Amino acid sequence: MWYAIEGYDGQDVLGRRGEARPAHLARLVELRDAGRLLLAGPCPAIDSEDPGPAGFSGSIVIAEFESLDAARAWADADPYVAAGVYARVEVRPFRKVLP
């Protein structure tokens, strides 16, 4: 089943986000290569493709896992969590309809 994972950035974490980004992306590439990633990306904190120093408000990942517990475990192991980038993470089932 698909699961939506939403990480919400804390305050003043842009530097930590940049440091943890390579490890964060490596895990997403693994999901992609396994055919389990629907989409992933950051949410700019302002209405701009490149928010610069404004940074990001969080990230969204939609990926396939065997269970909600497995999705939560994957999300808990995210390098952004370990680096203190995310103030909170929400994981919930997702049902793809379109396209």
Side-chain angles (χ1 to χ4, degrees), residues 3 16 21 23-24 32 48 56 74 88:
Y3 293 89
R16 283 183 268 170
R21 189 171 188 263
H24 171 78
R32 182 201 64 197
S48 174
F56 301 90
W74 187 90
R88 77 178 200 281

Side-chain angles (χ1 to χ4, degrees), residues 2 7 21 25 28 53 58 63 65 73 85-86 88-90 95 98:
W2 295 107
R21 189 171 188 263
L25 290 178
L28 293 171
F65 295 93
V85 173
Y86 292 153
R88 77 178 200 281
V89 177
E90 295 181 10
R95 190 174 69 132
L98 293 172

Side-chain angles (χ1 to χ4, degrees), residues 5-6 15 21 23-24 39 44-45 56 69-71 75 93-94 96-97:
I5 300 169
E6 294 180 81
R21 189 171 188 263
H24 171 78
L39 65 87
F56 301 90
D69 286 340
F94 177 82
K96 182 181 178 220
V97 175

Side-chain angles (χ1 to χ4, degrees), residues 3-11 13 17 24 28 39-45 55-62 71 74-76 78-82 84-92:
Y3 293 89
I5 300 169
E6 294 180 81
Y8 296 86
D9 283 22
Q11 295 294 316
V13 297
R17 181 182 259 276
H24 171 78
L28 293 171
L39 65 87
C43 301
F56 301 90
S57 61
S59 302
I60 298 172
V61 174
I62 300 179
W74 187 90
D76 288 345
D78 193 296
Y80 282 173
V81 171
V85 173
Y86 292 153
R88 77 178 200 281
V89 177
E90 295 181 10
V91 181
R92 59 182 182 237

Side-chain angles (χ1 to χ4, degrees), residues 12 14 45-46 50-56:
D12 301 317
L14 188 57
I46 60 173
D50 179 3
F56 301 90

